[in-house]
Amino acid sequence: MKLSTISYSFSAAALIFIIAVTACSRDEHFAGTWQGNPEKLIAVNGASDASTTVTLDFVPDQGRKGTGTLNISAVINAEQAVKGAVDAVVEPYEASVAATASITGRYAVEDRDDDDLVVSFDPTSMEVNIDPSGVTFSENAITGMQQPTLDSLSRATSQHWRTALTPAIREVFNRYRRIEDIKVHHDNIMSCEIADRDYTFRRVGVPD
């Protein structure tokens, strides 16, 4: 009788331990860094073409189930056709820019369903960064230009892009306030639904 009691107690403790470990790790299946596919940005003022690639970084809270930090970053590539001066001293050219953006928020599992997340972003954490040295122009833009003129043009162009891209990338980030039907496939592919669209992400750092 005593042996049976001990055996029962051990089995019960083991079961509780397994349940606890499973519960604590239920949100771990999507923990880590995931990169999406390039997607077009629409309604970017003055852009002839613009696209962004989003990266998600899920950091679960230590010792808590179903909550954590979500860091979102984006690389943005855009092009702008620029008209030349009226006197034709400066010919028409095209400016290109590579920008980065980021925002931080908190996620929580919705209704104890670890496939659905609700995210609350800190609006003050959003940043859009454009390095003037990263602004490039088509070849005829620099024909006959002196370097101070080109530097001034780069600064003006980067300021324009920061203004133009901020509302567009904010709209992209806002889509991630709800992330639904999260599934991880073969440990390196994550599928989910965002704003009624299906998305696929690849875990960063895992070979193809």
Side-chain angles (χ1 to χ4, degrees), residues 77-188:
N77 294 286
E79 296 179 352
Q80 173 192 27
V82 182
K83 295 181 180 179
V86 176
D87 59 6
V89 173
V90 179
E91 299 176 6
Y93 61 90
E94 185 174 75
S96 300
V97 64
T100 59
S102 62
I103 195 169
T104 298
R106 296 282 302 165
Y107 74 80
V109 168
E110 184 180 37
D111 297 330
R112 298 183 180 180
D113 184 352
D114 63 335
D115 289 341
D116 297 337
L117 302 180
V118 176
V119 182
S120 176
F121 289 111
D122 175 6
T124 65
S125 69
M126 181 173 168
E127 295 184 356
V128 178
N129 297 306
I130 300 173
D131 182 0
S133 65
V135 177
T136 60
F137 303 94
S138 56
E139 188 171 342
N140 61 353
I142 61 175
T143 302
M145 279 189 178
Q146 296 181 356
Q147 191 61 40
T149 305
L150 187 58
D151 289 344
S152 176
L153 189 60
S154 297
R155 287 193 297 272
T157 302
S158 64
Q159 290 170 2
H160 160 78
W161 280 118
R162 183 177 292 104
T163 301
L165 290 172
T166 295
I169 198 64
R170 181 184 290 115
E171 181 179 340
V172 171
F173 287 161
N174 281 337
R175 297 175 194 166
Y176 290 85
R177 292 184 181 277
R178 290 182 61 86
I179 306 176
E180 301 177 303
D181 198 25
I182 299 174
K183 298 289 187 296
V184 175
H185 313 274
H186 309 294
D187 196 45
N188 64 345

